[in-house]
Amino acid sequence: MTCTISFLPVGNADSIVIQTDDSMIVIDLGNLSVLEEWIEQHQITKIDRIYITHAHGDHFPSLIKLTTFIDNYQSKIKIEKIHLPYKVIEIATQKMVSAQNDPKNGKLRFALKRIKEWYINREIKHSPIFLDGENYSDKILKIEPLHPSQHYIESHFGLDKSKLNEISVVLRVVYGEFSAILLADIEGDGLTELLQLKTEFTANVVKIPHHGAWPKNGEDLKTLLEFIDPEIAVLSVGSKNQHGHVKPELFDALTNLKSNSLKRLNQFICTEVTRTCKSSASDCSAMDKKGLSSTEKCAGEITIIAEDSGKWTLKTETNHSNVVRSFDYAACTERADLI
Ligand SMILES: [Zn+2]
Ligand SMILES: [Zn+2]
Ligand SMILES: [Zn+2]
């Protein structure tokens, strides 16, 4: 028996699928067509949980696209429950009430109606998810939210759109002795809050937050990564991103962790190639924050196959080490020597 965690190559976005003999879990819907292809290929017949970590478009396409996606699959796949972003239904409902006769809102109105019908007919449940809220568990697999607490959201966030990353849902996946921490897009004050959690953070695998951004409180991210002390760090990053991801500071932090003999990290790996992997230092600074002109897979789909003993193996869609060897600066080996 194994637990596989697959990080799909969805660009600067997240879409993660977790499978055991008993469970099928989806975390974030960063690119629905990639996920749909994966679902077809793997002949999925049920999804126990869909977690949407926060309401940014690279994790959550929209209520309209979500309902279309589910309606397309509902005859083939049994979906049990969706953990929607905080207050997303309430915000959409308010919008409907304040613009009742606006024909542009027809699709959203229909989406809300479908979600309500699923709920009333007991087809698909939905709820937000908080720290100390509902854990998912089957025989061996457990998924536990570590952030945010309901109190944190209500006292800190309100409905401030600029703080969505800070309240993104951080999940711990436990399979016997194996564990992974998925950091969504956590940053800023949310990251500091997470660090204060009185919990054992150690995990075999970490998903680096926010597609390789470097938060203003980078020291907190460094400390968190030291606490987690992962054996592998996975970056879900897009070639065409124009944010300068993956940031050199993050590569520095990961490189330092990797060379620290007291720490376990021995690999960090990206789904797609970024400008940092491909270009010489001078090219990189000339390119400023522009992404690459086309998508190129680095590892492509990254799959961790874990046993309950804690042992795990890595499978990549590309022959990742060959991809890396062809670059001047392979970012996922060590950071580019940027000027
Ligand atoms: Zn985000
Ligand atoms: Zn994101
Ligand atoms: Zn790579």
Side-chain angles (χ1 to χ4, degrees):
M1 283 200 311
T2 55
C3 169
T4 64
I5 307 181
S6 301
F7 300 85
L8 306 188
V10 290
N12 236 48
D14 275 1
S15 193
I16 304 163
V17 268
I18 301 176
Q19 264 190 306
T20 65
D21 284 351
D22 299 300
S23 296
M24 163 72 197
I25 312 285
V26 174
I27 298 166
D28 282 330
L29 308 171
N31 179 330
L32 280 173
S33 53
V34 173
L35 179 64
E36 281 165 358
E37 206 177 298
W38 193 95
I39 285 172
E40 303 278 338
Q41 265 175 13
H42 291 78
Q43 298 176 350
I44 299 302
T45 55
K46 65 152 189 165
I47 299 176
D48 299 284
R49 290 289 182 280
I50 299 176
Y51 291 85
I52 297 166
T53 60
H54 62 299
H56 278 151
D58 56 326
H59 300 252
F60 177 50
S62 68
L63 280 176
I64 297 167
K65 287 188 180 151
L66 173 72
T67 44
T68 312
F69 165 75
I70 291 174
D71 272 337
N72 285 344
Y73 277 107
Q74 228 190 354
S75 58
K76 289 182 267 177
I77 299 179
K78 168 95 189 82
I79 299 172
E80 193 182 320
K81 186 165 191 176
I82 308 171
H83 289 299
L84 288 165
Y86 178 68
K87 290 220 163 148
V88 80
I89 300 270
E90 288 88 335
I91 294 165
T93 308
Q94 266 170 21
K95 198 173 158 190
M96 290 294 94
V97 172
S98 58
Q100 237 170 14
N101 298 319
D102 188 341
K104 279 190 292 194
N105 287 335
K107 282 184 179 170
L108 183 56
R109 188 171 298 116
F110 179 73
L112 286 170
K113 184 173 149 259
R114 291 296 290 136
I115 293 169
K116 203 170 172 182
E117 282 167 0
W118 295 331
Y119 199 78
I120 292 169
N121 301 336
R122 298 172 187 221
E123 289 168 329
I124 306 171
K125 293 176 268 186
H126 65 83
S127 77
I129 184 107
F130 303 109
L131 167 70
D132 296 329
E134 188 187 325
N135 286 347
Y136 175 83
S137 60
D138 68 19
K139 291 191 198 88
I140 310 178
L141 176 71
K142 193 169 117 186
I143 300 180
E144 175 191 14
L146 297 182
H147 177 84
S149 67
Q150 191 164 358
H151 174 260
Y152 178 78
I153 288 198
E154 280 162 8
S155 58
H156 165 93
F157 166 65
L159 294 174
D160 185 347
K161 276 198 167 165
S162 69
K163 294 189 172 163
L164 288 180
N165 285 344
E166 303 190 22
I167 58 156
S168 58
V169 174
V170 172
L171 296 168
R172 171 164 39 206
V173 179
V174 181
Y175 187 74
E177 298 297 313
F178 169 88
S179 65
I181 292 186
L182 309 174
L183 290 170
D185 277 0
I186 194 79
E187 62 179 14
D189 189 59
L191 180 59
T192 312
E193 174 79 9
L194 174 64
L195 259 183
Q196 282 156 11
L197 200 66
K198 302 273 175 293
T199 186
E200 172 62 53
F201 273 115
T202 318
N204 305 81
V205 177
V206 69
K207 188 211 78 97
I208 294 293
H210 201 190
H211 325 294
W214 186 247
K216 56 183 187 303
N217 54 337
E219 285 303 312
D220 281 350
L221 180 54
K222 251 191 233 175
T223 308
L224 180 65
L225 292 175
E226 279 167 22
F227 280 168
I228 296 174
D229 194 16
E231 293 161 328
I232 184 168
V234 175
L235 292 124
S236 189
V237 62
S239 305
K240 292 199 269 188
N241 88 80
Q242 301 197 346
H243 308 286
H245 300 162
V246 177
K247 293 285 189 185
E249 294 91 333
L250 181 69
F251 283 127
D252 277 347
L254 290 171
T255 306
N256 286 340
L257 211 54
K258 198 174 144 188
S259 58
N260 182 339
S261 59
L262 299 174
K263 293 290 171 189
R264 302 188 296 175
L265 187 72
N266 60 40
Q267 191 168 19
F268 43 101
I269 186 168
C270 319
T271 48
E272 290 180 12
V273 168
T274 68
R275 67 185 186 114
T276 325
C277 321
K278 290 257 316 179
S279 308
S280 69
S282 54
D283 285 348
C284 268
S285 54
M287 285 163 80
D288 190 28
K289 287 185 172 177
K290 286 200 194 79
L292 298 176
S293 54
S294 62
T295 296
E296 232 179 291
K297 285 175 180 171
C298 187
E301 183 178 325
I302 295 169
T303 306
I304 305 285
I305 304 152
E307 294 170 25
D308 61 0
S309 65
K311 268 200 232 147
W312 58 271
T313 49
L314 169 71
K315 209 176 98 198
T316 56
E317 181 185 344
T318 68
N319 188 340
H320 179 245
S321 50
N322 284 354
V323 177
V324 166
R325 240 177 270 136
S326 66
F327 302 145
D328 289 343
Y329 300 98
C332 55
T333 308
E334 56 190 32
R335 92 156 168 93
D337 188 17
L338 293 181
I339 301 165

Coordinates of all heavy atoms in Angstrom, one line a residue, residues 116-189:
K116 N -26.2 25.0 -4.1 CA -27.2 24.9 -3.1 C -28.0 23.6 -3.3 O -28.3 22.8 -2.4 CB -28.2 26.1 -3.3 CG -29.0 26.3 -2.0 CD -29.7 27.6 -2.2 CE -30.7 27.9 -1.1 NZ -31.4 29.1 -1.3
E117 N -28.3 23.3 -4.6 CA -29.0 22.0 -4.9 C -28.1 20.8 -4.5 O -28.7 19.8 -3.9 CB -29.2 21.9 -6.4 CG -30.4 22.7 -6.9 CD -30.4 22.8 -8.5 OE1 -29.5 22.2 -9.1 OE2 -31.3 23.5 -8.9
W118 N -26.8 20.8 -4.7 CA -26.0 19.7 -4.3 C -26.1 19.5 -2.8 O -26.1 18.4 -2.3 CB -24.5 19.9 -4.7 CG -24.2 20.0 -6.2 CD1 -24.9 19.4 -7.1 CD2 -23.2 20.8 -6.8 NE1 -24.4 19.7 -8.4 CE2 -23.3 20.5 -8.2 CE3 -22.2 21.6 -6.4 CZ2 -22.5 21.1 -9.1 CZ3 -21.3 22.2 -7.3 CH2 -21.5 21.9 -8.7
Y119 N -26.1 20.6 -2.1 CA -26.1 20.6 -0.7 C -27.4 20.0 -0.1 O -27.4 19.1 0.7 CB -25.8 22.0 -0.1 CG -25.3 22.0 1.3 CD1 -24.0 21.8 1.6 CD2 -26.2 22.3 2.3 CE1 -23.6 21.8 2.9 CE2 -25.8 22.4 3.6 CZ -24.4 22.1 3.9 OH -24.0 22.1 5.2
I120 N -28.5 20.6 -0.7 CA -29.8 20.2 -0.2 C -30.1 18.7 -0.5 O -30.6 18.0 0.3 CB -30.9 21.1 -0.8 CG1 -30.8 22.5 -0.2 CG2 -32.3 20.6 -0.5 CD1 -31.6 23.6 -0.9
N121 N -29.7 18.3 -1.7 CA -29.9 16.9 -2.2 C -28.9 16.0 -1.6 O -28.9 14.8 -2.0 CB -29.9 16.8 -3.7 CG -31.0 17.7 -4.3 OD1 -32.0 18.0 -3.7 ND2 -30.8 18.1 -5.6
R122 N -28.0 16.5 -0.8 CA -26.9 15.7 -0.1 C -26.0 15.0 -1.2 O -25.6 13.9 -1.0 CB -27.5 14.6 0.8 CG -28.2 15.3 2.0 CD -28.9 14.3 2.8 NE -29.7 15.1 3.8 CZ -29.9 14.8 5.0 NH1 -29.3 13.7 5.5 NH2 -30.6 15.5 5.8
E123 N -25.8 15.7 -2.3 CA -24.9 15.2 -3.3 C -23.5 15.5 -3.0 O -22.6 14.7 -2.9 CB -25.3 15.7 -4.7 CG -26.6 15.1 -5.2 CD -27.2 15.8 -6.4 OE1 -27.0 17.0 -6.5 OE2 -27.9 15.1 -7.2
I124 N -23.3 16.8 -2.9 CA -21.9 17.3 -2.6 C -22.0 18.3 -1.4 O -22.7 19.3 -1.5 CB -21.2 18.0 -3.8 CG1 -21.3 17.1 -5.0 CG2 -19.8 18.4 -3.5 CD1 -20.9 17.8 -6.3
K125 N -21.2 18.0 -0.4 CA -21.2 19.0 0.8 C -20.2 20.0 0.5 O -19.3 19.8 -0.3 CB -20.9 18.2 2.1 CG -22.0 17.2 2.5 CD -21.5 16.4 3.7 CE -20.9 15.2 3.3 NZ -20.5 14.2 4.4
H126 N -20.3 21.2 1.2 CA -19.2 22.1 1.1 C -19.1 22.9 2.4 O -20.1 23.0 3.2 CB -19.4 23.1 -0.1 CG -20.7 24.0 0.1 ND1 -20.6 25.1 0.9 CD2 -21.9 23.9 -0.4 CE1 -21.8 25.7 0.8 NE2 -22.6 25.0 0.1
S127 N -17.9 23.3 2.7 CA -17.6 24.1 3.9 C -16.3 24.7 3.8 O -15.4 24.2 3.1 CB -17.7 23.2 5.2 OG -16.5 22.5 5.3
P128 N -16.0 25.8 4.5 CA -14.6 26.3 4.6 C -13.8 25.4 5.5 O -14.4 24.5 6.2 CB -14.8 27.7 5.2 CG -16.0 27.7 6.0 CD -16.9 26.6 5.3
I129 N -12.6 25.5 5.6 CA -11.8 24.7 6.5 C -10.8 25.5 7.4 O -10.2 26.5 6.9 CB -11.0 23.6 5.7 CG1 -10.3 22.6 6.6 CG2 -10.0 24.2 4.7 CD1 -10.9 21.3 6.7
F130 N -10.7 25.2 8.6 CA -9.9 26.0 9.5 C -9.0 25.1 10.4 O -9.3 23.9 10.5 CB -10.8 26.7 10.5 CG -11.8 27.6 9.9 CD1 -13.1 27.4 9.9 CD2 -11.3 28.8 9.2 CE1 -14.0 28.2 9.3 CE2 -12.3 29.7 8.6 CZ -13.6 29.3 8.7
L131 N -8.0 25.7 11.0 CA -7.2 25.0 12.0 C -8.1 24.4 13.1 O -9.1 25.2 13.5 CB -6.2 26.0 12.6 CG -5.5 25.5 13.9 CD1 -4.5 24.4 13.6 CD2 -4.8 26.7 14.5
D132 N -7.9 23.3 13.6 CA -8.7 22.6 14.6 C -10.1 22.3 14.1 O -11.0 21.9 14.8 CB -8.8 23.4 15.9 CG -7.5 23.6 16.5 OD1 -6.7 22.7 16.4 OD2 -7.3 24.6 17.2
G133 N -10.3 22.5 12.7 CA -11.6 22.1 12.1 C -11.5 20.6 11.8 O -10.8 19.8 12.4
E134 N -12.2 20.3 10.7 CA -12.3 18.9 10.3 C -11.0 18.3 9.7 O -10.4 18.9 8.8 CB -13.4 18.9 9.2 CG -13.9 17.6 8.8 CD -14.9 17.8 7.6 OE1 -15.6 18.8 7.5 OE2 -14.8 17.0 6.7
N135 N -10.6 17.2 10.3 CA -9.5 16.4 9.6 C -10.2 15.4 8.7 O -11.2 14.9 9.0 CB -8.8 15.6 10.7 CG -7.9 16.5 11.5 OD1 -7.6 17.7 11.2 ND2 -7.4 16.0 12.6
Y136 N -9.5 15.1 7.6 CA -9.9 14.0 6.8 C -9.1 12.8 7.2 O -7.9 12.9 7.4 CB -9.6 14.3 5.3 CG -9.9 13.1 4.4 CD1 -11.3 12.9 4.0 CD2 -9.0 12.2 4.0 CE1 -11.6 11.8 3.2 CE2 -9.3 11.1 3.3 CZ -10.6 10.9 2.9 OH -10.9 9.8 2.1
S137 N -9.7 11.6 7.3 CA -8.9 10.4 7.5 C -9.6 9.2 6.9 O -10.8 9.1 6.9 CB -8.6 10.2 9.0 OG -9.8 10.1 9.7
D138 N -8.7 8.3 6.3 CA -9.2 7.0 5.9 C -8.4 6.1 6.8 O -8.0 6.4 7.9 CB -9.1 6.7 4.4 CG -7.6 6.7 3.9 OD1 -6.7 6.4 4.7 OD2 -7.4 6.8 2.7
K139 N -8.1 4.8 6.4 CA -7.4 3.9 7.3 C -6.0 4.5 7.7 O -5.7 4.5 8.9 CB -7.2 2.6 6.5 CG -8.5 1.8 6.3 CD -8.2 0.4 5.9 CE -9.4 -0.2 5.2 NZ -9.5 0.0 3.8
I140 N -5.2 4.9 6.8 CA -3.9 5.4 7.2 C -3.7 6.9 6.9 O -3.0 7.6 7.7 CB -2.8 4.6 6.4 CG1 -3.0 3.1 6.5 CG2 -1.4 4.9 6.9 CD1 -2.1 2.2 5.7
L141 N -4.3 7.4 5.9 CA -4.1 8.7 5.5 C -4.9 9.7 6.4 O -6.0 9.5 6.7 CB -4.6 8.9 4.0 CG -4.6 10.3 3.4 CD1 -3.1 10.8 3.2 CD2 -5.4 10.4 2.2
K142 N -4.2 10.8 6.7 CA -4.8 11.8 7.5 C -4.4 13.2 6.9 O -3.3 13.4 6.6 CB -4.4 11.8 8.9 CG -5.3 12.6 9.9 CD -5.0 12.3 11.3 CE -4.5 13.6 12.0 NZ -4.0 13.5 13.3
I143 N -5.4 14.1 6.7 CA -5.1 15.4 6.2 C -5.7 16.4 7.2 O -6.8 16.4 7.6 CB -5.8 15.6 4.8 CG1 -5.2 14.6 3.8 CG2 -5.5 17.1 4.3 CD1 -5.7 14.7 2.4
E144 N -4.7 17.2 7.7 CA -5.0 18.1 8.8 C -4.7 19.5 8.5 O -3.6 19.8 8.0 CB -4.1 17.6 9.9 CG -4.1 18.3 11.2 CD -2.9 17.8 12.1 OE1 -2.0 17.1 11.6 OE2 -2.9 18.1 13.3
P145 N -5.7 20.5 8.6 CA -5.4 21.9 8.4 C -4.5 22.5 9.5 O -4.8 22.3 10.7 CB -6.8 22.5 8.3 CG -7.7 21.6 9.1 CD -7.1 20.2 9.0
L146 N -3.5 23.2 9.2 CA -2.6 23.8 10.2 C -2.8 25.3 10.3 O -2.4 26.0 11.2 CB -1.1 23.6 9.8 CG -0.6 22.1 9.8 CD1 0.9 22.1 9.5 CD2 -0.9 21.4 11.1
H147 N -3.5 25.9 9.2 CA -3.6 27.3 9.2 C -4.7 27.6 8.1 O -4.8 26.9 7.2 CB -2.3 28.0 8.8 CG -2.4 29.5 8.6 ND1 -2.3 30.4 9.7 CD2 -2.7 30.3 7.5 CE1 -2.5 31.6 9.2 NE2 -2.7 31.6 7.9
P148 N -5.5 28.7 8.3 CA -5.6 29.6 9.4 C -6.7 29.1 10.4 O -7.5 28.3 10.1 CB -6.2 30.9 8.7 CG -7.0 30.3 7.6 CD -6.4 29.0 7.2
S149 N -6.6 29.7 11.6 CA -7.7 29.5 12.5 C -8.9 30.4 12.2 O -8.7 31.4 11.5 CB -7.3 29.8 14.0 OG -7.0 31.2 14.1
Q150 N -10.1 30.0 12.6 CA -11.2 30.8 12.3 C -11.1 32.2 12.9 O -11.4 33.2 12.3 CB -12.5 30.1 12.8 CG -13.8 30.8 12.3 CD -15.0 29.9 12.4 OE1 -14.9 28.8 12.9 NE2 -16.1 30.5 12.1
H151 N -10.5 32.2 14.1 CA -10.3 33.4 14.9 C -9.4 34.4 14.1 O -9.6 35.6 14.0 CB -9.8 33.2 16.3 CG -9.4 34.4 17.0 ND1 -8.1 34.8 17.1 CD2 -10.2 35.3 17.7 CE1 -8.1 36.0 17.8 NE2 -9.4 36.3 18.1
Y152 N -8.3 33.8 13.6 CA -7.3 34.6 12.8 C -8.0 35.2 11.6 O -7.8 36.4 11.4 CB -6.2 33.7 12.3 CG -5.1 34.4 11.5 CD1 -4.2 35.2 12.1 CD2 -5.1 34.3 10.1 CE1 -3.3 35.9 11.4 CE2 -4.2 35.0 9.4 CZ -3.3 35.8 10.0 OH -2.4 36.5 9.3
I153 N -8.8 34.5 10.9 CA -9.4 35.0 9.7 C -10.4 36.2 10.1 O -10.4 37.3 9.6 CB -10.3 34.0 8.9 CG1 -9.3 33.0 8.2 CG2 -11.2 34.6 7.9 CD1 -10.0 32.2 7.1
E154 N -11.2 35.9 11.1 CA -12.2 36.9 11.5 C -11.6 38.1 12.1 O -12.1 39.2 11.9 CB -13.2 36.2 12.4 CG -14.2 35.4 11.5 CD -15.0 34.4 12.3 OE1 -15.0 34.4 13.5 OE2 -15.7 33.6 11.6
S155 N -10.5 38.0 12.9 CA -10.0 39.2 13.5 C -9.0 39.9 12.6 O -8.8 41.1 12.7 CB -9.3 38.8 14.8 OG -8.3 37.9 14.6
H156 N -8.3 39.2 11.7 CA -7.2 39.8 11.0 C -7.6 40.2 9.6 O -7.3 41.2 9.0 CB -6.1 38.8 11.0 CG -5.0 39.1 10.0 ND1 -3.9 39.8 10.3 CD2 -4.8 38.8 8.7 CE1 -3.1 39.9 9.3 NE2 -3.6 39.3 8.3
F157 N -8.4 39.3 8.9 CA -8.6 39.4 7.5 C -9.8 40.2 7.1 O -9.7 41.1 6.2 CB -8.7 38.0 7.0 CG -9.2 37.9 5.6 CD1 -8.4 38.4 4.5 CD2 -10.4 37.3 5.3 CE1 -8.9 38.2 3.2 CE2 -10.9 37.1 4.0 CZ -10.1 37.6 2.9
G158 N -10.9 40.1 7.7 CA -12.1 40.7 7.2 C -12.4 40.2 5.8 O -12.3 39.0 5.6
L159 N -12.5 41.1 4.9 CA -12.6 40.6 3.5 C -11.6 41.3 2.6 O -11.8 41.6 1.4 CB -14.1 40.9 3.0 CG -15.2 40.1 3.7 CD1 -16.5 40.6 3.2 CD2 -15.0 38.6 3.4
D160 N -10.4 41.6 3.2 CA -9.4 42.3 2.5 C -8.7 41.4 1.4 O -8.0 40.4 1.8 CB -8.3 42.7 3.5 CG -7.3 43.6 2.9 OD1 -7.2 43.6 1.7 OD2 -6.5 44.2 3.7
K161 N -8.9 41.7 0.2 CA -8.4 40.9 -0.9 C -6.9 40.8 -1.0 O -6.4 39.8 -1.4 CB -8.9 41.4 -2.3 CG -10.3 40.9 -2.6 CD -10.6 41.1 -4.1 CE -11.8 40.3 -4.4 NZ -12.4 40.7 -5.7
S162 N -6.2 41.8 -0.5 CA -4.8 41.8 -0.5 C -4.2 40.8 0.5 O -3.0 40.6 0.5 CB -4.2 43.2 -0.3 OG -4.5 43.5 1.1
K163 N -5.0 40.3 1.3 CA -4.5 39.3 2.3 C -4.9 37.9 2.1 O -4.8 37.0 3.0 CB -5.0 39.8 3.7 CG -4.3 41.1 4.1 CD -4.6 41.5 5.5 CE -3.7 42.8 5.8 NZ -4.2 43.4 7.0
L164 N -5.3 37.6 0.9 CA -5.8 36.2 0.6 C -4.7 35.2 0.8 O -4.9 34.1 1.3 CB -6.3 36.1 -0.8 CG -7.7 36.7 -1.1 CD1 -8.1 36.6 -2.5 CD2 -8.7 36.2 -0.1
N165 N -3.4 35.5 0.4 CA -2.3 34.6 0.6 C -2.1 34.3 2.1 O -1.7 33.2 2.5 CB -1.0 35.1 0.0 CG -1.0 35.0 -1.5 OD1 -1.9 34.3 -2.1 ND2 -0.1 35.7 -2.2
E166 N -2.3 35.3 2.9 CA -2.0 35.2 4.3 C -3.0 34.2 5.0 O -2.7 33.6 6.0 CB -2.0 36.5 5.0 CG -1.0 37.5 4.4 CD -0.8 38.8 5.1 OE1 -1.1 38.8 6.3 OE2 -0.3 39.7 4.5
I167 N -4.2 34.1 4.4 CA -5.1 33.1 5.0 C -5.2 31.9 4.2 O -6.2 31.1 4.3 CB -6.5 33.8 5.2 CG1 -7.1 34.3 3.8 CG2 -6.5 34.9 6.2 CD1 -8.6 34.3 3.8
S168 N -4.3 31.6 3.3 CA -4.4 30.4 2.5 C -4.2 29.2 3.4 O -3.5 29.2 4.4 CB -3.5 30.4 1.3 OG -2.1 30.6 1.6
V169 N -4.9 28.1 3.1 CA -5.0 27.0 3.9 C -3.7 26.1 3.8 O -3.4 25.7 2.7 CB -6.3 26.1 3.6 CG1 -6.3 24.8 4.4 CG2 -7.5 26.9 3.8
V170 N -3.1 25.9 4.9 CA -1.9 25.1 5.0 C -2.3 23.7 5.5 O -3.0 23.6 6.5 CB -0.8 25.7 5.9 CG1 0.4 24.7 6.1 CG2 -0.3 27.0 5.3
L171 N -1.9 22.7 4.7 CA -2.3 21.3 5.1 C -1.2 20.4 5.4 O -0.1 20.5 4.7 CB -3.1 20.7 3.9 CG -4.4 21.4 3.5 CD1 -4.9 20.9 2.2 CD2 -5.5 21.2 4.6
R172 N -1.4 19.5 6.4 CA -0.4 18.5 6.7 C -1.0 17.2 6.2 O -2.1 16.8 6.6 CB 0.0 18.4 8.1 CG 0.8 17.2 8.4 CD 1.6 17.2 9.7 NE 0.8 17.8 10.9 CZ 1.4 18.3 11.9 NH1 2.8 18.4 12.0 NH2 0.7 18.8 12.9
V173 N -0.3 16.4 5.4 CA -0.7 15.1 4.9 C 0.1 14.1 5.7 O 1.4 14.1 5.6 CB -0.4 15.0 3.4 CG1 -0.9 13.6 2.9 CG2 -1.1 16.1 2.7
V174 N -0.5 13.2 6.4 CA 0.2 12.2 7.2 C -0.2 10.8 6.7 O -1.4 10.5 6.5 CB -0.1 12.3 8.7 CG1 0.6 11.2 9.5 CG2 0.2 13.7 9.2
Y175 N 0.8 9.9 6.4 CA 0.5 8.6 5.9 C 1.4 7.7 6.7 O 2.6 7.5 6.4 CB 0.7 8.4 4.4 CG 0.3 7.1 3.8 CD1 -1.0 6.8 3.7 CD2 1.2 6.2 3.5 CE1 -1.4 5.6 3.1 CE2 0.9 4.9 2.9 CZ -0.5 4.7 2.8 OH -0.9 3.5 2.2
G176 N 1.0 7.1 7.8 CA 1.8 6.4 8.7 C 3.0 7.3 9.2 O 2.7 8.4 9.8
E177 N 4.2 6.8 8.9 CA 5.4 7.6 9.4 C 5.8 8.7 8.4 O 6.7 9.5 8.7 CB 6.6 6.6 9.5 CG 6.4 5.5 10.6 CD 6.3 6.1 12.0 OE1 7.0 7.0 12.3 OE2 5.3 5.7 12.7
F178 N 5.1 8.7 7.3 CA 5.4 9.7 6.2 C 4.5 11.0 6.4 O 3.4 10.9 6.8 CB 5.1 9.1 4.8 CG 5.2 10.1 3.7 CD1 6.4 10.4 3.1 CD2 4.0 10.8 3.3 CE1 6.5 11.4 2.1 CE2 4.1 11.8 2.3 CZ 5.3 12.0 1.7
S179 N 5.1 12.1 6.1 CA 4.3 13.3 6.1 C 4.8 14.4 5.1 O 5.9 14.4 4.7 CB 4.1 13.9 7.5 OG 5.4 14.4 7.9
A180 N 3.8 15.2 4.7 CA 4.1 16.3 3.8 C 3.4 17.5 4.3 O 2.3 17.4 4.8 CB 3.7 15.9 2.4
I181 N 4.0 18.7 4.1 CA 3.3 19.9 4.5 C 3.2 20.8 3.2 O 4.2 21.0 2.5 CB 4.1 20.7 5.6 CG1 4.0 19.9 6.9 CG2 3.5 22.1 5.8 CD1 4.5 20.6 8.1
L182 N 2.0 21.1 2.9 CA 1.7 21.9 1.7 C 1.3 23.3 2.1 O 0.3 23.6 2.7 CB 0.5 21.2 0.9 CG 0.6 19.7 0.7 CD1 -0.7 19.1 0.2 CD2 1.8 19.4 -0.2
L183 N 2.2 24.2 1.7 CA 2.2 25.6 2.2 C 1.4 26.6 1.4 O 1.4 27.8 1.7 CB 3.6 26.1 2.4 CG 4.4 25.4 3.5 CD1 5.9 25.8 3.5 CD2 3.8 25.8 4.9
A184 N 0.6 26.1 0.4 CA -0.2 27.0 -0.4 C 0.5 28.2 -0.8 O 1.7 28.1 -1.4 CB -1.5 27.3 0.3
D185 N 0.0 29.4 -0.6 CA 0.7 30.7 -0.9 C 1.0 31.5 0.3 O 1.0 32.7 0.3 CB -0.2 31.5 -1.8 CG -0.1 31.1 -3.3 OD1 0.6 30.2 -3.6 OD2 -0.8 31.8 -4.1
I186 N 1.2 30.8 1.4 CA 1.3 31.4 2.7 C 2.5 32.5 2.7 O 3.6 32.2 2.2 CB 1.5 30.4 3.9 CG1 1.3 31.0 5.2 CG2 2.8 29.7 3.8 CD1 -0.1 31.2 5.6
E187 N 2.3 33.6 3.3 CA 3.3 34.7 3.3 C 2.9 35.7 4.4 O 1.8 35.6 5.0 CB 3.4 35.4 2.0 CG 2.2 36.1 1.6 CD 2.3 36.8 0.2 OE1 3.2 36.6 -0.5 OE2 1.4 37.7 0.0
G188 N 3.8 36.7 4.6 CA 3.5 37.8 5.5 C 3.0 37.4 6.9 O 3.6 36.4 7.5
D189 N 2.0 38.1 7.4 CA 1.5 37.9 8.7 C 1.0 36.4 8.9 O 1.1 35.9 10.0 CB 0.4 38.9 9.0 CG 0.0 38.9 10.5 OD1 0.9 39.2 11.3 OD2 -1.2 38.6 10.7

